[in-house]
Amino acid sequence: MELRVLRYFLMIVQEKTISKASARLHVSQPTVSRQLKELEEELGTTLFTRGNRTIQLTPDGEYFANQARQILSLTDKTLTNIHQETDISGAVYVGSAEARSVLTVAQAIGHLNQQHPHVQIHLVSTDASDIHSQLTSGVFDFGVVMEPTDKSDYDFLRLPGESRWGLLVQNSSPLAQQPTVSLDDVAQTRLILPQQGGSARIHAVFGLTQEDLNVAATYNLLYNASLLVSAGVGNALGLDGIVNTNQSDLTFVPLAPRTSSGSSLVWLKGQRLSTAAQALLTQVRAELTPTEN
């Protein structure tokens, strides 16, 4: 299996026809068709269902497309980081939870860019389970995860600042008129919960079990949860400062007694970082120095 063939395959996935993929690739249609057939024979499965006008991925095809994207992403990142100039250059991938403390990482990226403009930082918003998977596979160099979290596989830096937990509710909700909400309020409302850590995280932070809660939906990005709240699905349990509620139909009501969570920048123990990734880590440490003194 060659990387070139994976690129052919993903172009077919994108264009949904072999003819359009061939034109984009500047390769003859019979060549692309033959390569696709040989790829399916090598894998021992059918990747596409051929229709009258377009082709659709089979379940095996969808799985293989996802793996092919990761393979090519890791390959491109590796080549970029190896073919460096004298000045530090390369690509660094950071998977990040939604948190105010990402500001420290953002400031480090800004200062690093001033010193080494050829370093490209790719910040991907996602949750803890995906961060762990992508760090393990080598796609992400770093992750920003919310506490508490198991960091036994990671080296880490605690980031300054904490975000306060509360409920995101419609302005018309009686809860929106309260200065704070209690755990009893949380237990009695229809909830939209963060996926990160699931019920174990909710129990660790709030002492609430799954049986205590009326869960309507889950989310991994609070912006999407805010749309569910606006649609009347329920009230979202989340962190302050992520969704701008000014001039909106939503209100963030903090939890009392005050409950906050911090975050950490993590990377795999024993992993050899690229020069660009090491430069970002050095810059994050420099941003933290005034806080630590």
Side-chain angles (χ1 to χ4, degrees):
M1 190 182 302
E2 299 180 9
L3 296 176
R4 169 178 50 82
V5 177
L6 296 184
R7 297 187 193 279
Y8 288 0
F9 167 71
L10 290 180
M11 184 61 72
I12 297 170
V13 172
Q14 177 180 321
E15 297 297 329
K16 298 189 183 305
T17 69
I18 293 179
S19 59
K20 289 183 180 180
S22 301
R24 290 283 305 277
L25 293 165
H26 304 290
V27 178
S28 70
Q29 187 171 333
T31 297
V32 175
S33 296
R34 185 180 69 254
Q35 294 283 4
L36 177 60
K37 181 180 179 182
E38 290 176 356
L39 178 61
E40 289 180 318
E41 290 175 351
E42 181 178 354
L43 294 173
T45 189
T46 302
L47 299 174
F48 293 103
T49 300
R50 277 75 169 174
N52 292 332
R53 295 187 177 180
T54 61
I55 53 181
Q56 300 294 326
L57 287 172
T58 64
D60 282 347
E62 291 179 356
Y63 172 77
F64 186 72
N66 181 60
Q67 298 300 107
R69 291 187 188 98
Q70 292 198 45
I71 291 170
L72 291 178
S73 174
L74 185 56
T75 300
D76 292 342
K77 170 188 161 185
T78 302
L79 290 175
T80 300
N81 289 336
I82 287 178
H83 298 157
Q84 295 180 15
E85 303 170 8
T86 303
D87 181 28
I88 296 176
S89 63
V92 182
Y93 286 77
V94 183
S96 178
E98 294 178 301
R100 286 183 174 182
S101 50
V102 176
L103 177 60
T104 299
V105 179
Q107 291 170 336
I109 292 171
H111 292 146
L112 180 65
N113 185 254
Q114 293 173 9
Q115 301 172 48
H116 304 290
H118 296 112
V119 174
Q120 292 184 334
I121 309 295
H122 302 272
L123 189 64
V124 182
S125 295
T126 186
D127 58 27
S129 59
D130 186 55
I131 288 172
H132 177 77
S133 173
Q134 301 285 33
L135 283 172
T136 302
S137 65
V139 175
F140 289 169
D141 299 285
F142 301 102
V144 177
V145 296
M146 300 303 299
E147 301 293 352
T149 190
D150 180 9
K151 299 189 292 294
S152 56
D153 293 336
Y154 303 126
D155 289 319
F156 65 94
L157 292 174
R158 285 297 300 267
L159 298 175
E162 292 191 334
S163 298
R164 188 173 183 180
W165 286 92
L167 282 181
L168 194 63
V169 304
Q170 291 183 341
N171 291 339
S172 59
S173 168
L175 294 176
Q177 311 311 314
Q178 300 179 189
T180 60
V181 291
S182 66
L183 288 179
D184 285 341
D185 292 325
V186 172
Q188 292 172 19
T189 190
R190 282 179 59 79
L191 282 175
I192 304 168
L193 292 181
Q195 291 178 0
Q196 180 171 329
S199 58
R201 170 176 290 274
I202 299 303
H203 184 266
V205 176
F206 305 102
L208 298 172
T209 65
Q210 191 73 24
E211 291 72 23
D212 296 324
L213 305 175
N214 180 9
V215 180
T218 63
Y219 70 89
N220 67 339
L221 296 177
L222 190 56
Y223 174 75
N224 291 335
S226 72
L227 300 180
L228 294 176
V229 177
S230 294
V233 175
N235 299 317
L237 184 65
L239 296 170
D240 193 11
I242 298 172
V243 173
N244 184 0
T245 58
N246 292 333
Q247 298 181 337
S248 76
D249 62 342
L250 303 178
T251 298
F252 182 89
V253 188
L255 189 68
R258 183 185 181 97
T259 306
S260 302
S261 289
S263 62
S264 296
L265 181 74
V266 301
W267 62 100
L268 283 180
K269 284 184 177 178
Q271 177 178 345
R272 184 177 179 83
L273 297 173
S274 68
T275 305
Q278 185 61 56
L280 176 60
L281 181 58
T282 299
Q283 190 61 53
V284 172
R285 284 196 169 108
E287 301 294 327
L288 295 176
T289 300
T291 304
E292 294 172 347
N293 287 341

